[in-house]
Amino acid sequence: MDYNALSRDILSAAGGNDNIESFTHCMTRLRLNVADPDAVDVDRIKQLDGVLGVVPGPQVQIVVGPGHADRLDQAFAAVSNAAHVSYDEDNEEEPDAVASLLGGGDRVRDVATETRAKVKARQNTGVHAVFRHIGNIFIPIIPGFVAGGIIASIANFWKLADPTIVKNPWFLAFAALGAIVTGALNFIVGHNTAKEFGGTPVLGFIAGGVPYMTALAGIAAVKGADGSITTAAQPLVLPLFGQLSPGLGGVIGVMVTAWAFTMIEKQLRKVIPASFELFVIPALTVMLGAVAAVIIIMPLSALLMQGLTWLLVDFGLKQGGVIGGFLMSSLFLPMVMLGVHQGLTPLHAQLIADHGYTELLPILAMAGGGQDGMAIAVWLKTKSKKLRTIIKSALPLGLLGIGEPLIYGVSLPLIYPFITACLGAGFGGAFIAWGMQQGGSFGAQSLGLSGLFMTGVITPGHWFWYLGGLGIAIVMGFVLTYFFGFKEKMVERLG
């Protein structure tokens, strides 16, 4: 796709620079905020090579698909004089999203966006705000996780094909690329946390290193060749929490530490004269923040991380087995509806950093399989042309791990298919949990991938369990929906 040429054509068809006030982009669309919507030649834009659909209005949304939207945005910035603004997903307005993906076919009312907006409107508590912040911290890291996970998978396949390759220094360098993000995760999370809360990013970077300082472990005694013993430096010990160690509290500790740094920095800016700001505020922020991290944040964060790990991994999976797997898979989408699923992201990241994979993510990913099976059942049973059109567009995305169109456009508005899809997902999760009991623990080596795409980042040698679980989730989502979850009268709920 020639993004520069497409940008010039879009600019011309949209009324030129004088008609465009600002622009931005999301994952799939270039979004133009125009002064006069009537001056935009929508039909002309629809005919341009690479354009999948157009949503007209005060904000003209030009659908080009994942990956293309970001590149088109960069090219458009080079040809347009309009202001480039950041995209705010929480203020998202996407009328007729499904119809636009169809290339502007039949005007289908945007059930997905309307439902999504209703769900988000209920997610307005302080707890939801915390989870949104967590999402904003980790979402920018996902491309790095995906890159690292894919590289690690390639290296694992390579080792299976040729075990002697591990002696090759070039292979070792290649495999090491896959570990860069997890190795630097604490620094990246600290940086993003400070940025999210309005602090200085480099101070957040430093905050990310505080919980991982090797000095916290002290220095072990060393016996010399002559029998002399070097004096050891004892590790830090707190009266209530006991001995400290590097990494205590994991990424949760890093996030809270970076947040504390930001709050301290903001308070200092209120009392420190501007002429001393550069010399005083950074140093005081680091020193005061480090004290708070070592004495309070790290021990408490460690208790929270240990509690979550015990509840979900040790108790939920290892002791709960198939029942735990069923419950986790079945309840994941309701967690999404409540807006609390982002709270699991730090745990996934920590599990990947600790032992290379997260056991939880493949089980939770079964929720998408249940939705896929549900969609197939509804598509076969319904007589509604509109509903079949929505499913036809959304199902391929669902199989690849992009489930929002099916959730918000089909199952959730219909209500009962949402329930049967969740239950169908539970059977897939139970199968994977059983596989972990039979063949040892395994998981996803990366965040950000789901559906069929997740197969490539599953721990080597365990792909069968993941694909088997996904197949079972699809089949059971289909069976439960076909026989118990859908009746034609439910289509009336789509309006």
Side-chain angles (χ1 to χ4, degrees):
M1 185 184 297
D2 188 339
Y3 300 102
N4 293 322
L6 180 58
S7 296
R8 290 190 291 268
D9 291 340
I10 290 174
L11 180 64
S12 174
N17 278 307
D18 293 338
N19 194 42
I20 299 177
E21 298 176 339
S22 63
F23 70 97
T24 185
H25 78 286
C26 59
M27 184 176 292
T28 59
R29 304 161 187 237
L30 177 69
R31 295 163 175 264
L32 310 179
N33 296 311
V34 297
D36 181 11
D38 293 332
V40 179
D41 190 341
V42 175
D43 291 333
R44 179 181 166 191
I45 297 176
K46 287 180 180 179
Q47 300 304 315
L48 296 176
D49 185 31
V51 174
L52 303 178
V54 180
V55 181
Q59 184 185 78
V60 180
Q61 302 174 27
I62 303 168
V63 185
V64 291
H68 298 298
D70 180 63
R71 298 183 184 187
L72 179 60
D73 177 87
Q74 295 177 35
F76 195 82
V79 302
S80 171
N81 297 326
H84 189 197
V85 298
S86 298
Y87 177 63
D88 184 359
E89 185 180 4
D90 286 337
N91 293 325
E92 178 179 348
E93 293 181 3
E94 292 190 359
D96 210 6
V98 176
S100 65
L101 286 172
L102 294 172
D106 296 335
R107 296 294 296 172
V108 180
R109 187 169 67 88
D110 187 13
V111 179
T113 299
E114 182 178 324
T115 305
R116 188 170 187 262
K118 289 179 180 178
V119 171
K120 280 187 170 290
R122 301 188 185 101
Q123 300 174 2
N124 55 7
T125 66
V127 174
H128 290 115
V130 170
F131 290 139
R132 278 196 294 272
H133 285 306
I134 292 174
N136 292 338
I137 291 166
F138 280 92
I139 286 174
I141 310 175
I142 285 178
F145 271 117
V146 173
I150 291 175
I151 290 171
S153 295
I154 293 173
N156 289 327
F157 277 115
W158 202 343
K159 285 190 292 185
L160 287 174
D162 181 10
T164 63
I165 195 65
V166 295
K167 298 179 181 179
N168 187 310
W170 287 104
F171 171 81
L172 296 177
F174 173 77
L177 291 173
I180 290 177
V181 170
T182 54
L185 182 63
N186 52 310
F187 295 109
I188 301 171
V189 169
H191 175 279
N192 288 0
T193 301
K195 186 176 180 180
E196 171 68 14
F197 289 100
T200 301
V202 71
L203 295 183
F205 186 91
I206 296 173
V210 170
Y212 286 83
M213 294 187 298
T214 56
L216 295 173
I219 302 174
V222 178
K223 186 176 182 179
D226 59 356
S228 62
I229 298 178
T230 304
T231 302
Q234 297 298 318
L236 291 175
V237 179
L238 298 179
L240 295 179
F241 299 102
Q243 181 174 309
L244 295 180
S245 61
L248 192 65
V251 292
I252 291 180
V254 168
M255 283 191 297
V256 180
T257 299
W259 172 83
F261 271 44
T262 299
M263 297 301 105
I264 292 171
E265 180 187 0
K266 288 182 176 180
Q267 292 303 314
L268 290 175
R269 291 189 183 281
K270 295 179 181 179
V271 297
I272 301 296
S275 56
F276 297 101
E277 181 177 296
L278 178 62
F279 303 99
V280 176
I281 291 179
L284 279 179
T285 297
V286 171
M287 288 187 288
L288 293 175
V291 170
V294 171
I295 296 177
I296 302 173
I297 296 172
M298 288 176 60
L300 293 179
S301 298
L303 293 176
L304 177 58
M305 183 65 79
Q306 290 167 6
L308 287 173
T309 303
W310 176 85
L311 177 64
L312 295 175
V313 179
D314 297 331
F315 178 75
L317 281 184
K318 294 182 180 178
Q319 296 185 35
V322 295
I323 296 176
F326 183 93
L327 291 175
M328 288 185 192
S329 298
S330 297
L331 296 176
F332 181 64
L333 285 185
M335 289 177 63
V336 175
M337 299 303 102
L338 294 173
V340 299
H341 62 295
Q342 294 285 11
L344 297 177
T345 305
L347 181 57
H348 292 313
Q350 190 63 52
L351 290 171
I352 293 173
D354 287 345
H355 56 260
Y357 58 84
T358 166
E359 301 95 319
L360 299 175
L361 206 52
I363 289 179
L364 301 181
M366 294 301 102
Q371 292 290 318
D372 297 336
M374 171 279 304
I376 297 171
V378 174
W379 187 81
L380 290 176
K381 291 193 71 174
T382 187
K383 299 177 181 178
S384 169
K385 181 179 178 181
K386 179 170 67 175
L387 183 54
R388 289 172 64 92
T389 299
I390 293 174
I391 295 173
K392 181 181 177 181
S393 301
L395 182 57
L397 297 175
L399 291 170
L400 296 178
I402 304 172
E404 286 81 357
L406 284 178
I407 297 169
Y408 294 109
V410 181
S411 66
L412 196 58
L414 298 178
I415 301 176
Y416 286 105
F418 180 79
I419 297 173
T420 53
C422 290
L423 293 175
F427 288 95
F431 179 80
I432 292 181
W434 181 64
M436 290 180 179
Q437 291 180 326
Q438 301 301 310
S441 184
F442 62 90
Q445 299 173 315
S446 168
L447 299 177
L449 297 174
S450 188
L452 292 173
F453 280 155
M454 185 180 283
T455 309
V457 296
I458 294 295
T459 306
H462 295 86
W463 305 289
F464 164 78
W465 293 108
Y466 176 74
L467 290 174
L470 187 62
I472 289 172
I474 293 174
V475 170
M476 293 307 298
F478 171 87
V479 170
L480 292 175
T481 304
Y482 192 89
F483 291 103
F484 308 105
F486 178 76
K487 294 183 179 179
E488 191 65 28
K489 63 181 181 180
M490 295 178 184
V491 179
E492 298 174 1
R493 295 171 183 160
L494 299 180

